Amino acid sequence: MSPMCMYSAVDGFATDWHLVHYGSRAMGGTGTIMIEAAAVRADGRIAVGDLGIYKDEHIEGLQRITKFIREQGSVPAIQIAHAGRKASNWVSGAESKTLFPEDKDGWEIIAPSAIAFSPESQIPKEMDLEEIQNIQNAFADAAERALKAGFELLEIHSAHGYLLNEFLSPLTNKRTDDYGGSFENRTRMLFEIIEKVKKVWPSDLPIAVRISATDWVEGGWTLEDSIKLSRKLSETGVDIVDVSTGGSIPNAKIPVGAGYQLPFASAIKKDKNNSVFVGTVGLIDSSKQAETILANGDADFIFVGRELLRNPYFSLNATRELRAQNIEPKPYEIAFK
Ligand SMILES: Cc1cc2nc3c(=O)[nH]c(=O)nc-3n(C[C@H](O)[C@H](O)[C@H](O)COP(=O)(O)O)c2cc1C
C-alpha cells in the first residue's frame, strides 16, 4: 500500500480511523502497508490533521496499528516526512488552501530557499545551518520512534515537492552554501539525514527513499539526476528507491495515464550500475498489470494507492485472479468451507 495522508489525526496522534483504515487493508491481504507521511516536526505537517511522529507520546497509537497489521500477516511500514514550503494548509475532503501564520491552524513555514510554491502560498523562511541540523535530528528522532512503534520498513519522503525534494530540485533550491548549487550540494541534506537515520535504524531492517524522478518541468530535476541519485543511495545502504514523479512545481504538464510513472522506475531498475530494489507507483489498479510489471523486470515492488482506498481486498482478489487460490482472513474461513 502506497502512503496516503488521511488528515484524520489529532495533534499528530493516530485515531481509531487509522487503526480501522490500515487494519482493513491488512485484513485484505496487502503485503506491506506503508502508513501515510508522518511529520517529523509539527511545522512539517501539510495540515493539522497530518499524522505525527514528532513526540514520544505518538508512539503508543502507532504501536497499536503495527501490532494489528503484523497479526494479519502484513508488514508495517511508515513514511517520515517534512512538508517544507508545502506545509500549513487547510484540508477538508478534496478541498485545500494555504494558511498563513495569522490564520487559525496556520504557522510559519521553512524551505531551502525563500520561494513560495504558488502566488497564493506563503513565502517560506530560508533555513539557516542550525535549522538544517535541527531537521536532520528530527528525522533521526522520528526513525527511532518508528522503530519503537514496531515498524519494519522506514521510508524517507524525498518526493512530491516536500522539504527534502525542495533541496534536490534546482527550481526550489537556490542556496549558495554547501547545500545548494551542484548536484552534490543539493543532495547533501538527504545523505546527511540518511547517515543520521542509519545510526538509530537497525541494519537488518530496510530503508526506502521516495523520490520524484522528474519535476516534469524544463530546467528541473531529471531522470538522469534520479539514476545518479539512486546509485548513490544504493552505495549508502538504502535498500529501496520508491519512484514517483512531480509535485515540485504547480501546474506542471504531466501525461497522466495507466502506469505513467513506470518508465522512470524501469530506467532505474535497468541501470546496470545499480542493484537497488525499485518500487513503482501510479495508476496501477489491476492484478494482471501489476504482475506484468514484475514479470518484465521493470520493478521489484508495486505500490498501490487509490485502488486500495476503493478496494481494501485488492490483494485477496488478486490472489484469486492470478493463482486461482482463495485466501480469506482466518475468521472468515469457516464461512467458505
Ligand atoms: C489521498 C492521497 C494521499 C496521499 N498521500 C501521500 C503521502 O502521504 N505520501 C506520499 O508519498 N504520497 C502520497 N500520495 C500519493 C500516493 O502514495 C501515490 O503515489 C499516488 O496516489 C499514485 O498512485 P495511485 O494511482 O495508485 O493512487 C497520496 C495520494 C492520495 C490519493
Side-chain angles (χ1 to χ4, degrees):
M1 179 174 184
S2 201
M4 283 174 285
C5 288
M6 290 286 108
Y7 306 110
S8 302
V10 178
D11 189 21
F13 286 89
T15 62
D16 287 354
W17 171 267
H18 297 93
L19 178 67
V20 175
H21 166 67
Y22 292 114
S24 308
R25 275 74 198 167
M27 283 171 59
T30 311
T32 299
I33 302 209
M34 180 79 70
I35 305 285
E36 68 201 76
V40 301
R41 251 177 36 174
D43 70 347
R45 291 175 295 173
I46 299 166
V48 285
D50 276 29
L51 199 61
I53 192 156
Y54 49 85
K55 293 182 190 174
D56 289 344
E57 291 76 16
H58 289 144
I59 296 171
E60 195 182 333
L62 295 170
Q63 220 161 26
R64 198 168 153 233
I65 301 171
T66 60
K67 180 171 175 284
F68 187 83
I69 289 177
R70 203 175 298 106
E71 281 167 7
Q72 305 308 309
S74 181
V75 175
I78 191 164
Q79 185 185 58
I80 56 172
H82 191 293
R85 71 175 188 164
K86 289 171 80 176
S88 181
N89 298 275
W90 169 84
V91 178
S92 176
E95 289 176 70
S96 68
K97 70 167 194 237
T98 304
L99 293 178
F100 290 81
E102 58 277 19
D103 294 330
K104 182 182 173 294
D105 294 336
W107 59 85
E108 193 173 81
I109 60 175
I110 56 165
S113 299
I115 308 167
F117 176 63
S118 75
E120 296 77 42
S121 306
Q122 225 192 104
I123 298 172
K125 183 165 178 270
E126 179 173 314
M127 295 164 71
D128 61 18
L129 293 180
E130 192 187 337
E131 187 70 307
I132 283 180
Q133 287 301 315
N134 290 342
I135 289 289
Q136 292 182 0
N137 294 336
F139 270 93
D141 292 346
E144 206 170 354
R145 291 187 191 107
L147 184 68
K148 285 186 183 150
F151 289 101
E152 295 172 21
L153 163 61
L154 183 79
E155 179 166 274
I156 298 170
H157 198 351
S158 189
H160 301 165
Y162 296 114
L163 186 70
L164 301 187
N165 193 177
E166 288 158 22
F167 273 89
L168 298 181
S169 173
L171 300 173
T172 46
N173 182 347
K174 303 287 183 195
R175 298 180 73 93
T176 52
D177 61 5
D178 287 351
Y179 292 91
S182 65
F183 175 89
E184 199 192 1
N185 280 358
R186 281 180 283 116
T187 57
R188 188 181 307 281
M189 179 67 162
L190 177 59
F191 285 106
E192 288 182 352
I193 285 175
I194 293 167
E195 201 181 307
K196 289 192 179 169
V197 163
K198 286 187 71 183
K199 291 208 170 101
V200 297
W201 188 256
S203 56
D204 58 344
L205 289 181
I207 298 179
V209 173
R210 179 166 261 202
I211 62 166
S212 279
T214 175
D215 283 333
W216 294 111
V217 176
E218 192 80 30
W221 181 266
T222 64
L223 173 61
E224 287 65 40
D225 291 326
S226 298
I227 290 172
K228 201 166 146 191
L229 177 74
S230 299
R231 280 181 198 167
K232 222 173 137 191
L233 286 172
S234 176
E235 284 160 15
T236 316
V238 166
D239 305 277
I240 303 164
V241 180
D242 171 7
V243 184
S244 188
T245 67
S248 283
I249 302 294
N251 308 319
K253 288 199 171 54
I254 306 178
V256 178
Y260 70 106
Q261 295 181 142
L262 180 61
F264 297 93
S266 177
I268 295 170
K269 173 72 193 156
K270 292 192 168 148
D271 173 13
K272 290 197 171 43
N273 296 311
N274 197 353
S275 57
V276 75
F277 291 112
V278 175
T280 185
V281 66
L283 290 175
I284 300 166
D285 56 9
S286 87
S287 59
K288 292 201 175 68
Q289 183 191 5
E291 191 71 358
T292 304
I293 292 168
L294 297 177
N296 288 345
D298 285 321
D300 302 292
F301 294 93
I302 307 289
F303 286 79
V304 179
R306 287 160 292 183
E307 184 55 25
L308 268 171
L309 297 184
R310 282 186 286 263
N311 176 11
Y313 291 103
F314 175 75
S315 300
L316 294 185
N317 289 330
T319 311
R320 192 147 71 170
E321 286 157 11
L322 297 172
R323 316 242 187 283
Q325 212 181 334
N326 278 334
I327 303 177
E328 282 94 26
K330 232 184 177 42
Y332 297 176
E333 282 173 2
I334 185 88
F336 299 100
K337 247 177 142 176

